[in-house]
Amino acid sequence: MDLVVVKDVSVLMNAIGAGNCLVLSYAYLTKREHRTQRINPVLSLLFFILGAVILNTIFNFGGYSFYLWAFEPLTNALCFAIAPLLYLYARSLGRNSAGNGLWSRHLLPFYLYFSLTALMLLFPKSPLGKWAMELVESQGAMVLWNLHFGGYILPITREFRKLGKTIGLTPKIIVWGTVSIWFFNLVFYIYRIWIEPLPNLVYLNITLLFSAMTLYLFYRKMGMVDRDRGKGKRAIKTKVTSGPDGSIDPVINAIQEYKYYRNPELDIRGLSVELQIPYHELSSKINQEYHQNFNAFINSFRVQEVARALETQEHESYTIMGLAQKAGFKSPSAFYAAFKKEKGTTPTAFLKSAT
């Protein structure tokens, strides 16, 4: 294939990927959230940064960087947030996301570097602006970024190990896909510094990996809910598993797969938004098919998660109440009452019988 055609196709696919990242960023930013969940702004910023990285590569490749001289340093500053955002996202998967938002202490280096970049761009001729420029545009800044990113890989790995087999495919793609691309970029950076410069097409195809990853994520996010043409109702696409009472139901499957019950502030209206099922339909389904009120229905999922953890080695890493909080219980009294009702015994007695 002609090299010019390859370049044109790469630019086109990267442009699609950049647009897709921005759409995902907007979708997460505007998604309705319960007040204790703060992870969507984190994902929104992450996809916005990935989109900016792709656009920056396209601008450099197309020779437009001269006209958009401020875009590249701003994008480089944004890149300092990628690793902390991945860590905050990974940490939020196994516990309540309070404290994992955009004001986390893990993002302080990013805010500092971004402030230096803004100072450089706003006051380029001042002594302070020139000092900021020397720091931001030095080779040491690139080395620092790679060390900063690499330093987060071990904490992210630890968070994933805590989750074990409960972690879904989407978090793995978001985290390890981004880490893999960073690794390729590091290898090419070392090659460029110590051996010889690489063609621009190489860097264009590195960001093409971002485009491919986010296109897949876009498909999963936007294709997760489909309409049943015969009935005109929404149907949730998910693998078939059994619910707390052994039944097979797409609502049960979605709750188990995405672990909505882990949100301690979850209510029926919030769940109806997550499942994209009208509130009155969901309420009627729970009452008529499961003969439970909403709290008892959701608590059954929480109890089952705690029970599974007590039957495995996971209980050794948490206290019983720690497992309960991880599963979404707000208070010890609510947990013990729900567990006794569901299992007919106390958590301590259940643990003794399971070991």
Side-chain angles (χ1 to χ4, degrees):
M1 183 182 293
D2 189 358
L3 186 59
V4 175
V5 176
V6 174
K7 291 179 179 179
D8 290 341
V9 171
S10 297
V11 170
L12 177 61
M13 292 303 298
N14 271 287
I16 294 173
N20 177 67
C21 287
L22 297 178
V23 170
L24 282 172
S25 175
Y26 177 78
Y28 278 109
L29 185 64
T30 58
K31 184 178 179 183
R32 292 176 60 183
E33 279 290 346
H34 305 290
R35 63 180 180 272
T36 58
Q37 292 178 319
R38 302 177 183 176
I39 200 60
N40 274 356
V42 167
L43 288 173
S44 177
L45 179 57
L46 176 63
F47 285 115
F48 177 82
I49 293 171
L50 297 185
V53 169
I54 297 172
L55 283 175
N56 182 58
T57 304
I58 294 174
F59 293 155
N60 284 333
F61 182 79
Y64 299 107
S65 57
F66 176 79
Y67 303 100
L68 299 166
W69 60 275
F71 190 79
E72 182 167 9
L74 287 174
T75 301
N76 293 337
L78 288 172
C79 285
F80 259 88
I82 294 178
L85 292 174
L86 291 176
Y87 171 70
L88 294 175
Y89 174 56
R91 193 172 69 174
S92 73
L93 297 172
R95 65 183 78 168
N96 185 278
S97 59
N100 291 351
L102 294 181
W103 295 111
S104 169
R105 58 185 175 84
H106 290 277
L107 288 168
L108 289 178
F110 157 64
Y111 292 131
L112 176 61
Y113 190 86
F114 192 87
S115 299
L116 288 174
T117 303
L119 191 65
M120 174 191 77
L121 296 174
L122 293 174
F123 308 102
K125 295 183 179 181
S126 69
L128 199 57
K130 292 179 180 179
W131 171 75
M133 184 180 298
E134 290 180 1
L135 293 177
V136 168
E137 295 186 348
S138 66
Q139 284 293 332
M142 179 62 70
V143 174
L144 179 63
W145 177 76
N146 280 289
L147 292 174
H148 177 258
F149 196 111
Y152 271 95
I153 294 178
L154 183 57
I156 291 173
T157 303
R158 288 175 179 170
E159 293 297 329
F160 271 57
R161 284 181 177 175
K162 291 178 183 178
L163 294 170
K165 296 182 179 180
T166 63
I167 190 169
L169 179 61
T170 296
K172 292 179 180 177
I173 292 175
I174 292 176
V175 173
W176 297 125
T178 306
V179 170
S180 298
I181 296 168
W182 162 79
F183 177 77
F184 286 127
N185 185 73
L186 176 62
V187 170
F188 290 138
Y189 170 73
I190 294 173
Y191 184 91
R192 183 183 68 202
I193 295 299
W194 292 99
I195 302 179
E196 61 180 349
L198 293 167
N200 287 336
L201 186 60
V202 172
Y203 300 103
L204 192 65
N205 286 327
I206 291 177
T207 53
L208 193 59
L209 296 175
F210 276 134
S211 300
M213 180 183 77
T214 53
L215 281 170
Y216 176 75
L217 295 173
F218 181 86
Y219 170 79
R220 284 184 62 86
K221 183 171 179 61
M222 300 305 174
M224 183 172 59
V225 177
D226 195 11
R227 289 193 175 272
D228 180 71
R229 295 182 180 178
K231 298 181 180 180
K233 296 181 180 180
R234 295 182 183 269
I236 299 172
K237 294 181 178 181
T238 183
K239 60 184 180 181
V240 176
T241 56
S242 59
D245 62 350
S247 63
I248 296 177
D249 186 288
V251 170
I252 298 293
N253 298 335
I255 294 172
Q256 287 186 322
E257 182 174 356
Y258 298 102
K259 303 187 187 305
Y260 298 124
Y261 56 85
R262 284 185 171 180
N263 173 21
E265 301 295 334
L266 183 67
D267 57 24
I268 191 167
R269 293 189 182 276
L271 183 61
S272 71
V273 171
E274 296 286 3
L275 299 178
Q276 299 192 27
I277 296 175
Y279 160 76
H280 66 277
E281 289 187 17
L282 181 60
S283 177
S284 176
K285 181 180 184 67
I286 293 173
N287 291 331
Q288 294 180 14
E289 296 186 18
Y290 296 100
H291 309 289
Q292 293 177 305
N293 60 35
F294 177 77
N295 286 335
F297 176 73
I298 289 299
N299 280 341
S300 64
F301 291 95
R302 294 166 175 162
V303 168
Q304 291 297 336
E305 177 171 311
V306 174
R308 285 193 297 270
L310 293 176
E311 290 173 338
T312 64
Q313 298 298 317
E314 187 176 351
H315 73 275
E316 296 180 358
S317 301
Y318 295 85
T319 63
I320 292 179
M321 196 56 216
L323 291 172
Q325 291 175 339
K326 178 184 175 184
F329 283 103
K330 295 175 65 174
S331 66
S333 59
F335 164 60
Y336 284 106
F339 197 98
K340 183 71 179 291
K341 181 179 179 181
E342 186 79 16
K343 296 297 183 182
T345 185
T346 65
T348 303
F350 183 88
L351 176 60
K352 289 180 179 179
S353 65
T355 54

